[in-house]
Amino acid sequence: MAETKEWYDGYRFGDVNIYCPWDVIGYVDHLAADPYAEPEAFWINTSGNDLVKRFIDKADKTTQNEIERLIAGETIEKAIRLDLTYNELDASIANLWSVLFTTGYLTQTGRAVRGVYKLVLNNREVREVFVL
């Protein structure tokens, strides 16, 4: 059970922490066929993750260091724009954090204060996208 939590837990909706439903359904389906099935990436494989890779490729040294801190399990604090439009995505590398947060790659820990969020990678599945 601890390994399942490590892989699929960590999503937050309002004040509620949840497991990713897509992952849980996929994993339970695999367990039904094979009781020894190991957790694997389900949600991450539903898209190409191209947007994330594009931002990471454009990242400056500071942003790269912040990504490395996230991979190491640390928390970073960033201003998040929940009203960011598609046309504004490439306007600034700072928009990376808003995109990652609103698309589910990052989650908050604690409460946001004046638009500044304490951000962490959700789980092992999401961490794999950044490591690869």
Side-chain angles (χ1 to χ4, degrees), residues 42-109:
F42 294 102
W43 174 76
I44 288 299
N45 292 327
T46 63
S47 72
N49 304 304
D50 295 333
L51 183 62
V52 174
K53 291 174 186 170
R54 189 173 83 211
F55 269 116
I56 291 172
D57 288 343
K58 291 172 47 175
D60 58 20
K61 188 64 176 164
T62 300
T63 304
Q64 289 173 357
N65 288 339
E66 291 168 323
I67 291 169
E68 288 174 12
R69 286 178 50 208
L70 289 168
I71 291 169
E74 295 179 34
T75 300
I76 63 170
E77 292 187 17
K78 290 292 173 185
I80 297 296
R81 287 193 47 208
L82 299 176
D83 63 343
L84 190 66
T85 66
Y86 187 77
N87 291 335
E88 297 172 299
L89 292 180
D90 290 316
S92 168
I93 191 64
N95 291 339
L96 165 70
W97 309 112
S98 298
V99 170
L100 293 176
F101 179 70
T102 58
T103 56
Y105 291 88
L106 297 175
T107 196
Q108 74 184 77
T109 181

